[in-house]
Each structure stands twice: as structure tokens, then as C-alpha cells.
Amino acid sequence: MLREGVKIPMLAIVALAVTVLSWGLGRWWISGGHPALQIGWLAGALLIGMAVIVLVTGSRMWRMRQGRTHVEPVVAARVLGLAQASALTGAVMAGVYLGQVVVLLPDLAFAGRGGLALRFGFAALGGLLITAAGLVVQAWCRIDEGDDEDQSG
């Protein structure tokens, strides 16, 4: 768990670095005479579903901040860990899939690569949604200066 939290600039650097790496490997693969990598719609749908799960899991922290429920500290730490891991994983996945979109851009009209680029783009969107969900849940887990209940002892 990162003490200062996951920051947007760090996620942007990770996503950009992975995008460049994925693009380079994809270009190398295709220039070697191999067919383009394949992906289905299910990959993007699963990533979007995972983003929803992260938000639903983190909603417990939001309800606690509103004073509607109590969350044990160990559970809060686990939710925060899930949020940070989701944000980083989403940035990596978005970079991988976005790199493949960039690989396919010059050949969109060739052999159905336009549809393939669309599926990779949908999966990249799923990665971005997991990143956003992780950042939102991380914000819900933040403890403000006046929120500490154990100040009395």
C-alpha cells in the first residue's frame, strides 16, 4: 500500500510507458510477418465489470464517511489496497491495449483490423475505468484531519 496514495501523474507515466512498450512489441510482431494479436469484446466487458466491483466494494467506505456504517480498520486497509492495486493495474491494462490500437491504426482498412482496433479500444476503456474506480475508492478511504475517532485516548 502506498502511504501517499496513487497519484494521477504516476498513473499517466505508467500508462504511457506501457503503451510505448506495447506499441514497440506489436510493431515488431507484425513486421515479422505474424498476424495481428487478437482480442474479443469479453476482455473489455470483464474490465468494466471489475471496475464496478471495485466501486461496489469501496462504497462501504463512502457510507462510513457519511456516518451510515462502521468499518473495521483492517477492512478499510484492505479496501484501500484494492483501490490502489486497481488503479495501477488499470493503467497497465489501458497501456497494453492502447499500444495495440496504435499498432493497428495504419492498417485499419486491411483484413478487418478496424474492428480489431475497436475491440482493443474498448478494452483500453475498461482499463481506464478500473483506474478511475481505484482513484475514487482511494479518495473515499482518505482520512481527513478531523475524522480520527480515537483522539480521546
Side-chain angles (χ1 to χ4, degrees):
M1 200 167 15
L2 298 173
R3 188 171 273 307
E4 296 297 317
V6 177
K7 306 279 190 209
I8 292 175
M10 180 177 66
L11 293 173
I13 290 169
V14 167
L16 182 62
V18 173
T19 299
V20 169
L21 183 63
S22 176
W23 169 78
L25 290 172
R27 285 303 320 157
W28 171 77
W29 182 256
I30 290 176
S31 67
H34 300 285
L37 299 176
Q38 299 292 314
I39 192 170
W41 291 104
L42 185 59
L46 287 175
L47 290 172
I48 292 170
M50 290 165 56
V52 170
I53 290 170
V54 169
L55 283 174
V56 168
T57 302
S59 69
R60 197 168 169 191
M61 300 304 298
W62 180 81
R63 288 193 309 270
M64 182 192 76
R65 288 182 65 102
Q66 303 300 317
R68 297 180 185 171
T69 188
H70 174 72
V71 177
E72 294 295 322
V74 70
V75 174
R78 288 178 180 161
V79 170
L80 178 60
L82 171 68
Q84 291 178 346
S86 298
L88 287 168
T89 302
V92 169
M93 297 308 296
V96 166
Y97 294 134
L98 192 57
Q100 294 305 306
V101 170
V102 175
V103 165
L104 295 172
L105 282 179
D107 301 323
L108 287 180
F110 177 71
R113 289 188 177 175
L116 185 58
L118 192 60
R119 292 192 299 269
F120 273 116
F122 182 63
L125 175 65
L128 290 175
L129 289 176
I130 291 177
T131 301
L135 288 172
V136 167
V137 172
Q138 175 182 263
W140 289 343
C141 292
R142 191 164 313 281
I143 298 174
D144 296 328
E145 290 299 319
D147 287 350
D148 194 5
E149 296 174 346
D150 295 329
Q151 291 178 356
S152 61

